[in-house]
Amino acid sequence: MENVHLAVEDDDLYSGYNDYNPTFDSEELENDVGFQQAVRTSHGRRPPMTAKFPGTAIGARPLSRIPMASSMGRPMTGAVQDGAARPMTAVRAAGYTSSLTRGSTFDPLGQSRGPAPPLEAKNEDAAEEKIKILEKKVNDLIEESCMAQSMGSLQLALEKAKEAGRKERALVRQREQSGNGDHINLDLTYSVLLNLANQYANNEMYTEALNSYQVIVKNKMFNNAGRLKVNMANIYFKQKNYPKAIKFYRMALDQISNAHKEMRIKIMQNIGVVFVRMGQYTDAITSFEHIMSESPNIKTGFNLILCYYAIGDRDRMKKAFQKLISVPLGIDDEDKYIPSNDDATSNMVIEAIKNDKLHQMERDLKVLAEKYIMTAAKLIAPVIESSFATGFDCCVDMVKSSQYVELANDLEINKAITYLRQKDFNQAVETLKTFEKKDSRVKSAAATNLSFLYFLEKDYDQADRYADLAMNADRYNPAALINKGNTVFVKQDYEKAAEFYKEALRNDSSCTEALYNLGLTYKRLHRLEEALDCFLKLHAILRNSAQVMYQLGHLYELLEDPQQAIEWLMQVISVTPTDPQALAKLGELHDGEGDKSQAFQYYYDSFRYFPSNIDVIEWLGAYYIETQFCEKAIQYFERATLIQPTQVKWQLMVASCYRRSGNYQKALETYKDIHRKFPENVECLRFLVRLCTDMGLKEVQEYATMLKKVEKLKEIREQVHPTAASIDLSGHSSNSMKGERLSAKMRSLPGSNEPYEASNPKELDASYVDPLGPQMERPKTGAKKRVDDDDFADEELGDDLLPE
């Protein structure tokens, strides 16, 4: 079977590939003598033999596992030398080599070498490193100081600035020690000194601030340090050292080039203001006129008018006012912010910019300009012409021809208010009535003021008519709604009045007059909890309003919470410590709580501030009688006699005090004097009979006869007029009257058949009048109020005025 062969197809595509030629056995090359000889001779330079097998070299073993050297001894590319492969330069960057040593692995990232060595640590002890750390600390301290100052922590800002200064000096010393004294950071030094000076100035440590600024200014290495003389001048201005302030302003002006025009204008404006403070109006006018010719602005124009007013120059006042209303504001017209219906993209842009900060700044600038123009017009109108009316007309004509046309109507209203100040009520009314045919806004304002005027005059029908006119012209005018509510309030239609006040609050939630009047209305309707809620809200807005705090105290009293009432009235006293009625009310509350000594203190303080309050006088007199100090009670009843000379009660009390203190002769003289003034007073005759009998005087029979006649006449009158039984023959009512009732138990006069020391206790109930009089319960009116300037303020009828 060994000689038996299977038949094979002649054209086998894959034949010959399994045949192995021992020539390619690289494992035995080291033992191949012929190969080794060929390597050592020139035979190895011949080109290699190619394979004779057809097809590719698949399955062949690589010939490069053992690199061969040339006969010259030069290693070939990729040859192994000393166990390491020579890298191929073209592929070395990617981590490849031309050949691998036996047993090596593919590791292009070098992970087999282990982790990278740690970074070299910084040497913090190095001088340069210490300097960098100190610089960073100084910069951080400056930033912290500025942040503290912006948040209002001035003391903390100063401490941080001082610490930054200490660190910066340590930094300079560190540089000098390291031999880098020439590389001092001047910008950092400048920042430290400037921040320290600013913080000294903010804390009003002006001497230290000036010293710090002086250090910067004198150092020639700091560029533009001369500008800081403006800061120094500002400090001298605050110290009212005006000559030095002007000196430093002028020094700063000399060191600022003409290229910085805006800065120079501001400094000149400061110089003008200092001259005004010094009363040198001519020099101030020179500065302001230069500014108005170079770069006119609203503030300078207003200051120039004030200076002309101070020197009384009428013609130049007119010219300055004309310049003031001609100053360009540089703002866009309001029509720019009205959206159009065509372009949706444009409308979106307008909505975005309509309430942005730039538009808000434009509005504020326009409001400020209108304020200055109105104040200037009200100031100069009475003096630029022979009469104030002519002066107002002149200002109105100039305003009408300017960009502030809408201010002309406001000036007309101020003209009416000037008539009121001159007590010319008819002219004021006539001036305001001219607005009835004007546009709705002006008509509403004029009608509001007219309604207020008629309300003060107690002409409630006319007040109601003009309140309706103001509401029809502008339904969203809260002042008009308040005036309408007031006219309904005085007609005691409190429910309807409350509706008008609520509507005013819906239109303007910050309208304090409407909230106050609504509280009074709820109080009249006995809806005390709602009234309390209104006044508590109002107190959150008007923290120091004595009226609001009194109303809260009175409401707590009505709610039978005297302790809360006392606390609120104590707050009233803290705001108005000399209010006699509030002190008297506190005395009444303490008396009701049984604290007589505290009640006496408050009643006594009330008497000191207002010695004509009959209730307080009566309580003090009764207190001294109750405590057995009748002599001290006499002075109070004598004062009551002066206040109410027709009331026999007080004179009888004076005589009773003399009698109680044992001074019978003085008591007798007082009773006789009372009898001459009130000959038909029964009580007086009874005491005269008793005193004359006990003292053995001859007049006893005469007074007894008179007493019988008067008693008989009294009986006859009672029979004829039964309802007159409570009316004393002296003409005063024996019933309790307002202003004659006590909050303490007061002993009445003893009867004629009782001993002098005995008397029947008689309680007289207390009644209290509101601390601010009847006006406390009157509603506040809704006339507009405007205060325009600190120096020259003028106002329309005030919202918070209470009608007399």
Side-chain angles (χ1 to χ4, degrees):
M1 294 297 293
E2 294 179 357
N3 296 324
V4 176
H5 299 281
L6 295 176
V8 186
E9 293 184 2
D10 294 336
D11 298 330
D12 186 1
L13 295 178
Y14 301 100
S15 61
Y17 283 97
N18 292 330
D19 296 336
Y20 180 75
N21 191 336
T23 305
F24 299 105
D25 185 6
S26 59
E27 296 292 340
E28 299 295 330
L29 286 179
E30 293 181 0
N31 301 324
D32 190 343
V33 178
F35 177 78
Q36 294 296 333
Q37 182 65 32
V39 169
R40 293 187 183 95
T41 63
S42 59
H43 183 76
R45 296 179 185 174
R46 291 180 299 175
M49 298 175 62
T50 55
K52 295 180 180 180
F53 296 101
T56 61
I58 295 176
R61 303 180 110 188
L63 297 178
S64 61
R65 290 187 64 182
I66 299 176
M68 293 181 293
S70 67
S71 61
M72 298 295 296
R74 176 182 176 274
M76 296 175 62
T77 301
V80 178
Q81 284 188 337
D82 299 329
R86 178 179 178 273
M88 294 176 67
T89 55
V91 293
R92 183 61 175 169
Y96 297 97
T97 59
S98 60
S99 63
L100 297 176
T101 58
R102 187 182 299 272
S104 63
T105 58
F106 180 74
D107 186 15
L109 301 179
Q111 296 179 359
S112 61
R113 295 194 295 268
L119 296 175
E120 184 179 355
K122 290 183 179 180
N123 187 7
E124 295 186 357
D125 294 334
E128 194 63 32
E129 200 63 36
K130 286 183 178 180
I131 289 172
K132 289 182 179 180
I133 293 172
L134 270 177
E135 280 189 352
K136 186 177 185 308
K137 287 182 179 179
V138 172
N139 282 312
D140 291 342
L141 286 170
I142 294 174
E143 185 176 350
E144 290 173 9
S145 175
C146 296
M147 292 297 294
Q149 189 267 333
S150 66
M151 293 186 292
S153 302
L154 302 181
Q155 189 62 36
L156 178 61
L158 180 59
E159 292 299 326
K160 294 289 185 182
K162 287 180 178 179
E163 188 177 353
R166 290 191 292 268
K167 296 283 187 184
E168 195 273 336
R169 288 191 294 272
L171 173 62
V172 172
R173 288 194 299 270
Q174 185 75 22
R175 284 188 182 277
E176 291 174 351
Q177 291 173 3
S178 63
N180 294 328
D182 296 337
H183 298 85
I184 294 176
N185 190 343
L186 290 178
D187 292 337
L188 185 63
T189 305
Y190 181 86
S191 300
V192 169
L193 291 174
L194 179 59
N195 181 59
L196 182 60
N198 289 339
Q199 300 310 330
Y200 276 133
N202 291 334
N203 284 271
E204 299 182 359
M205 300 170 67
Y206 297 131
T207 304
E208 292 83 353
L210 288 172
N211 293 336
S212 299
Y213 283 128
Q214 199 70 31
V215 171
I216 302 174
V217 171
K218 288 184 176 181
N219 194 331
K220 302 298 183 182
M221 300 179 69
F222 296 137
N223 296 327
N224 300 322
R227 295 187 180 186
L228 296 182
K229 290 182 179 178
V230 176
N231 295 19
M232 300 174 72
N234 291 341
I235 292 176
Y236 285 123
F237 180 81
K238 292 177 182 178
Q239 293 178 329
K240 298 184 179 180
N241 190 350
Y242 299 130
K244 270 203 167 183
I246 290 178
K247 175 184 175 182
F248 275 85
Y249 278 133
R250 285 177 171 169
M251 290 171 65
L253 196 64
D254 293 338
Q255 295 186 12
I256 296 176
S257 64
N258 293 327
H260 301 87
K261 182 179 178 181
E262 188 175 351
M263 174 73 74
R264 293 178 60 85
I265 289 295
K266 289 182 178 179
I267 294 175
M268 291 193 68
Q269 188 168 343
N270 288 359
I271 293 173
V273 172
V274 177
F275 277 129
V276 170
R277 292 294 181 94
M278 296 173 67
Q280 299 179 15
Y281 299 112
T282 305
D283 295 328
I285 287 171
T286 303
S287 296
F288 293 144
E289 284 181 341
H290 175 75
I291 296 172
M292 291 300 288
S293 63
E294 293 290 330
S295 177
N297 61 78
I298 291 292
K299 282 188 177 181
T300 304
F302 179 73
N303 289 338
L304 185 60
I305 291 175
L306 295 183
C307 292
Y308 286 143
Y309 179 85
I311 64 176
D313 194 333
R314 294 185 177 183
D315 294 334
R316 295 169 83 180
M317 269 189 268
K318 290 181 184 178
K319 293 178 181 178
F321 186 75
Q322 187 66 49
K323 288 182 180 178
L324 178 64
I325 61 179
S326 302
V327 172
L329 296 181
I331 61 177
D332 294 326
D333 191 16
E334 287 294 325
D335 295 339
K336 170 185 174 182
Y337 299 100
I338 299 176
S340 60
N341 297 326
D342 301 333
D343 190 355
T345 305
S346 176
N347 291 346
M348 291 177 62
V349 173
I350 290 172
E351 285 296 325
I353 67 174
K354 187 163 61 175
N355 293 315
D356 63 355
K357 291 188 179 296
L358 180 60
H359 190 204
Q360 183 63 43
M361 185 182 71
E362 291 178 348
R363 283 197 295 255
D364 293 342
L365 181 60
K366 187 175 181 181
V367 169
L368 182 66
E370 291 177 353
K371 172 187 173 182
Y372 283 141
I373 291 170
M374 286 293 295
T375 305
K378 288 186 288 184
L379 176 66
I380 68 175
V383 297
I384 59 176
E385 297 292 346
S386 56
S387 66
F388 86 92
T390 310
F392 263 107
D393 293 338
C394 178
C395 290
V396 168
D397 291 339
M398 285 191 284
V399 170
K400 284 182 177 178
S401 61
S402 70
Q403 55 183 323
Y404 304 99
V405 182
E406 64 274 7
L407 294 183
N409 293 323
D410 294 336
L411 282 175
E412 290 282 0
I413 293 178
N414 277 281
K415 179 181 176 182
I417 293 172
T418 308
Y419 276 125
L420 282 176
R421 291 199 171 113
Q422 296 182 352
K423 311 298 182 185
D424 195 345
F425 179 77
N426 293 328
Q427 281 290 338
V429 172
E430 290 300 321
T431 304
L432 290 173
K433 284 183 177 179
T434 59
F435 290 95
E436 292 186 18
K437 296 182 180 180
K438 296 287 183 71
D439 62 84
S440 60
R441 185 187 68 85
V442 180
K443 184 194 298 183
S444 179
T448 299
N449 284 330
L450 281 170
S451 175
F452 173 74
L453 292 176
Y454 282 119
F455 190 85
L456 293 181
E457 290 291 309
K458 295 184 172 58
D459 188 350
Y460 299 127
D461 293 334
Q462 285 290 338
D464 185 63
R465 172 176 170 268
Y466 280 101
D468 288 335
L469 183 62
M471 288 170 54
N472 293 334
D474 183 5
R475 185 71 186 187
Y476 298 99
N477 183 355
L481 293 166
I482 291 172
N483 285 347
K484 178 63 177 177
N486 291 349
T487 58
V488 178
F489 184 94
V490 296
K491 295 176 183 177
Q492 300 184 358
D493 190 353
Y494 301 124
E495 292 287 354
K496 195 172 181 181
E499 291 301 321
F500 284 112
Y501 297 142
K502 288 178 183 177
E503 186 175 354
L505 283 172
R506 285 194 293 271
N507 293 338
D508 182 6
S509 59
S510 63
C511 185
T512 55
E513 292 81 10
L515 192 57
Y516 184 92
N517 292 350
L518 182 62
L520 288 183
T521 306
Y522 284 143
K523 190 176 174 183
R524 292 292 180 90
L525 292 170
H526 302 288
R527 293 156 64 175
L528 302 182
E529 292 293 342
E530 295 177 65
L532 186 65
D533 184 57
C534 289
F535 285 114
L536 285 173
K537 289 179 181 177
L538 195 57
H539 177 66
I541 303 171
L542 307 174
R543 304 295 299 180
N544 296 321
S545 173
Q547 288 183 334
V548 175
M549 288 187 284
Y550 167 76
Q551 292 293 345
L552 286 167
H554 193 209
L555 282 169
Y556 276 114
E557 183 189 7
L558 296 176
L559 291 168
E560 299 180 355
D561 190 348
Q563 291 301 324
Q564 282 286 343
I566 289 173
E567 288 184 13
W568 281 106
L569 287 173
M570 289 295 292
Q571 293 190 42
V572 175
I573 297 303
S574 68
V575 176
T576 56
T578 60
D579 188 342
Q581 296 291 352
L583 289 166
K585 185 65 176 176
L586 272 171
E588 179 188 344
L589 290 171
H590 281 290
D591 184 41
E593 292 292 299
D595 191 350
K596 291 286 184 182
S597 61
Q598 195 67 38
F600 168 75
Q601 184 62 47
Y602 285 118
Y603 272 121
Y604 182 74
D605 290 342
S606 176
F607 175 77
R608 284 195 305 115
Y609 294 123
F610 184 60
S612 299
N613 189 330
I614 200 69
D615 291 335
V616 174
I617 292 171
E618 192 172 17
W619 191 95
L620 289 170
Y623 175 80
Y624 280 119
I625 291 175
E626 189 176 359
T627 55
Q628 304 299 319
F629 290 100
C630 299
E631 299 86 349
K632 292 185 177 181
I634 291 173
Q635 61 173 325
Y636 295 104
F637 291 124
E638 285 178 343
R639 183 173 290 276
T641 302
L642 294 175
I643 297 171
Q644 295 180 344
T646 60
Q647 293 291 330
V648 68
K649 170 184 178 179
W650 309 120
Q651 299 179 45
L652 290 172
M653 290 302 301
V654 172
S656 175
C657 290
Y658 282 126
R659 177 180 56 78
R660 289 169 181 267
S661 61
N663 192 347
Y664 300 125
Q665 185 62 38
K666 189 68 175 176
L668 180 62
E669 294 175 3
T670 306
Y671 280 124
K672 286 181 178 180
D673 185 59
I674 295 171
H675 178 65
R676 283 192 295 272
K677 295 178 181 177
F678 304 97
E680 295 182 344
N681 187 274
V682 175
E683 292 293 327
C684 180
L685 287 171
R686 287 176 181 172
F687 278 107
L688 281 172
V689 170
R690 290 195 60 197
L691 280 172
C692 291
T693 300
D694 293 343
M695 298 174 69
L697 300 178
K698 297 178 181 181
E699 296 98 331
V700 62
Q701 190 62 39
E702 178 184 353
Y703 289 126
T705 304
M706 290 182 185
L707 178 60
K708 289 180 181 179
K709 289 182 179 180
V710 171
E711 287 179 341
K712 188 174 181 179
L713 182 61
K714 183 179 179 181
E715 291 176 1
I716 294 172
R717 287 183 177 179
E718 288 179 355
Q719 292 175 1
V720 176
H721 302 288
T723 58
S726 61
I727 305 299
D728 195 354
L729 295 178
S730 61
H732 77 279
S733 173
S734 60
N735 292 329
S736 58
M737 300 171 60
K738 186 175 183 179
E740 298 178 0
R741 290 174 289 181
L742 294 175
S743 60
K745 294 182 179 179
M746 177 177 173
R747 298 179 181 275
S748 64
L749 296 172
S752 59
N753 57 347
E754 296 175 351
Y756 298 132
E757 293 76 10
S759 60
N760 292 326
K762 178 181 178 182
E763 286 193 19
L764 300 177
D765 296 330
S767 66
Y768 182 71
V769 182
D770 287 340
L772 297 181
Q775 295 177 352
M776 287 295 291
E777 295 296 335
R778 299 289 293 278
K780 293 189 178 182
T781 55
K784 295 181 179 179
K785 179 178 180 181
R786 181 181 299 162
V787 178
D788 292 312
D789 192 71
D790 294 334
D791 297 326
F792 303 97
D794 199 357
E795 60 182 355
E796 296 181 30
L797 296 173
D799 288 335
D800 54 352
L801 294 179
L802 295 173
E804 299 291 337

